[in-house]
């Protein structure tokens, strides 16, 4: 048998320290992102890397599919679920939304004609109606393509232009303003790509004045990008534009209210 040569005590200690440091580096790196597909049997846990059963495969369920945000991001589900719309809401906000809407959803679900599969079913519409009554802050995604923009026909009578301090984003035709509160505040929605988006979506996912743009494609105010960088991406991106829009709570909440964690809810795009 072969034997390793003996090392002095000082060399052995240095070797143990080097091995410990190497293992520490691997632990700090954590599991690598898992680029999942919608039909994968398993997803991966964001911290342990363990396999978890993919709830998206259960087509018979009538209850919402919930993901903790780390699970959603680690499995790159935003890329996999391109045919879905999503909102991000705090756990407390979701509980509040379900508490007030539970009776409405249950009444719809008990109807003989209630379907449990399609996004256009009475049950799905009831769930969306519950969302529209939500009074908590939530975020949703808007996806448009600039190549689909069709200029509005110019009428004979010109409308009087309202004075505004905002900037009109070409083709999107929304006025935005940096009000120093993070991201870009939407001041007005005119006829354009965002108005077309609104006509195809449930009211809870329609962009309106007072909403805030937090992200444009990879440019994110949360990650430190400036409002000017957000605006430039919205104006100069080549075609596909994905915006993350935040809708603030409709009533003031205590600053001590817990917002620990958040969940993602999804619905199939109807357009």
């Amino acid at each position: 048998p072969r034997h390793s040569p003996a090392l002095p005590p000082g060399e052995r200690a240095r070797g143990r320290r080097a091995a410990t440091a190497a293992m520490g580096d691997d632990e700090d790196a954590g599991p690598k992102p898992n680029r999942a597909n919608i039909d994968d049997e398993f997803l991966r846990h964001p911290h342990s890397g363990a396999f978890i059963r993919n709830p998206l495969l259960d087509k018979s369920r009538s209850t919402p599919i919930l993901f903790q945000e780390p699970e959603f991001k680690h499995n790159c589900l935003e890329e996999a679920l391109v045919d879905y719309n999503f909102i991000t809401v705090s756990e407390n906000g979701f509980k509040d939304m379900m508490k007030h809407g539970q009776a409405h959803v249950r009444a719809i679900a008990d109807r003989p004609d209630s379907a449990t599969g399609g996004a256009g079913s009475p049950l799905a519409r009831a769930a969306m109606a519950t969302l529209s009554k939500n009074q908590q802050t939530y975020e949703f995604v808007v996806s448009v393509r600039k190549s689909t923009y069709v200029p509005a026909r110019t009428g004979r009578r010109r409308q009087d232009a309202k004075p505004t301090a905002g900037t009109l984003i070409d083709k999107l035709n929304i006025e935005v303003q940096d009000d120093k509160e993070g991201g870009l505040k939407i001041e007005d929605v005119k006829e354009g790509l965002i108005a077309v988006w609104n006509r195809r979506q449930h009211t809870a996912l329609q962009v309106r004045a007072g909403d805030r743009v937090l992200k444009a494609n990879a440019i994110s105010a949360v990650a430190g990008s400036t409002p000017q960088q957000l605006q430039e991406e919205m104006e100069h991106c080549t075609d596909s534009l994905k915006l993350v829009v935040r809708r603030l709570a409709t009533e003031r909440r205590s600053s001590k209210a817990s917002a620990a964690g958040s969940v993602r809810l999804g619905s199939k795009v109807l357009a």
Side-chain angles (χ1 to χ4, degrees):
R2 299 177 62 183
H3 297 279
S4 301
L7 296 175
E11 293 294 331
R12 288 200 297 269
R14 279 194 290 273
R16 284 194 298 270
R17 285 197 296 271
T20 301
M23 287 189 293
D25 292 342
D26 291 341
E27 291 174 357
D28 292 341
K32 294 182 179 179
N34 176 48
R35 296 193 175 278
N37 293 314
I38 190 172
D39 54 353
D40 286 350
E41 185 176 359
F42 295 99
L43 304 177
R44 302 300 292 268
H45 191 276
H47 304 301
S48 66
F51 288 98
I52 54 178
R53 192 167 294 280
N54 183 0
L56 297 168
L57 295 179
D58 184 2
K59 307 300 183 184
S60 63
R61 64 183 296 160
S62 59
T63 55
I65 298 175
L66 306 181
F67 292 99
Q68 293 292 331
E69 191 156 12
E71 295 175 345
F72 191 89
K73 290 183 176 179
H74 178 72
N75 289 282
C76 306
L77 292 179
E78 188 169 340
E79 300 174 14
L81 300 173
V82 293
D83 292 332
Y84 283 71
N85 283 332
F86 290 92
I87 69 161
T88 304
V89 63
S90 70
E91 291 181 1
N92 284 345
F94 178 72
K95 290 176 182 178
D96 186 62
M97 187 174 70
M98 291 294 99
K99 177 182 177 181
H100 291 88
Q102 189 175 24
H104 183 50
V105 172
R106 188 184 298 116
I108 295 294
D110 290 340
R111 292 180 183 175
D113 60 343
S114 174
T116 58
S121 70
L123 183 59
R125 291 196 298 271
M128 293 301 291
T130 300
L131 172 59
S132 66
K133 297 176 183 177
N134 175 38
Q135 295 182 333
Q136 301 279 353
T137 295
Y138 65 94
E139 297 168 9
F140 59 98
V141 176
V142 175
S143 298
V144 297
R145 289 187 176 275
K146 288 191 172 183
S147 58
T148 64
Y149 174 69
V150 178
R153 293 181 179 179
T154 305
R156 292 185 177 181
R157 291 182 300 178
R158 294 182 56 187
Q159 295 180 347
D160 295 333
K162 294 183 295 184
T164 177
T167 301
L168 185 66
I169 305 297
D170 186 41
K171 295 185 179 180
L172 301 184
N173 286 357
I174 56 175
E175 287 185 5
V176 297
Q177 184 180 14
D178 176 13
D179 63 353
K180 312 301 181 184
E181 302 247 345
L184 288 169
K185 183 181 179 182
I186 297 175
E187 299 288 348
D188 194 14
V189 179
K190 302 180 184 297
E191 185 58 38
L193 288 176
I194 297 301
V196 172
W197 162 273
N198 283 350
R199 287 195 288 270
R200 296 174 177 172
Q201 303 299 325
H202 187 274
T203 54
L205 302 174
Q206 292 174 358
V207 180
R208 58 192 186 210
D211 290 345
R212 192 172 299 277
V213 178
L214 298 183
K215 187 176 180 181
N217 290 336
I219 307 301
S220 171
V222 177
S225 299
T226 66
Q228 181 63 32
Q229 289 172 318
L230 278 175
Q231 183 175 321
E232 289 175 355
E233 179 65 19
M234 292 163 66
E235 290 176 334
H236 303 304
C237 69
T238 54
D239 187 21
S240 181
L241 177 63
K242 182 176 290 187
L243 304 176
V244 175
V245 178
R246 174 176 291 171
R247 177 154 301 154
L248 298 179
T250 55
E251 60 182 25
R252 292 284 182 180
R253 299 288 181 179
S254 168
S255 60
K256 295 182 180 181
S258 171
S262 59
V263 294
R264 291 286 184 104
L265 296 88
S267 65
K268 197 72 174 292
V269 175
L270 301 181

